[in-house]
Amino acid sequence: MLKTPTPFQHELEMVTLEQLVPKDHLLRLIDRHISFDFIRERTQALYCADNGRPAFDPVLLF
């Protein structure tokens, strides 16, 4: 059913990733057992330290 759009947001719901991802999810198990910190070392040369906007953490992007 097609609704007409409303111009105002009436409710605000605050959620976190902790709430959205179940405790027994496969990604939590992977995160617990594998460290992806090596990604920072391997991508360090691709980021400029003093030019442009601050970069997103490549580990989080991965």
Side-chain angles (χ1 to χ4, degrees):
M1 179 166 101
L2 183 64
K3 295 182 185 180
T4 57
T6 58
F8 301 105
Q9 179 178 349
H10 299 287
E11 296 180 20
L12 179 64
E13 183 177 356
M14 299 295 286
V15 294
T16 64
L17 286 176
E18 288 296 319
Q19 294 171 321
L20 294 176
V21 180
K23 298 292 181 199
D24 59 346
H25 196 276
L26 175 63
L27 289 178
R28 288 189 185 270
L29 183 65
I30 292 170
D31 185 48
R32 204 174 307 134
H33 293 284
I34 299 174
S35 173
F36 291 100
D37 291 336
F38 69 92
I39 294 173
R40 281 189 196 96
E41 293 174 18
R42 293 192 180 179
T43 59
Q44 187 174 11
L46 301 173
Y47 292 92
C48 182
D50 60 357
N51 190 9
R53 294 173 32 183
F56 288 108
D57 184 7
V59 174
L60 290 178
L61 291 174
F62 181 74

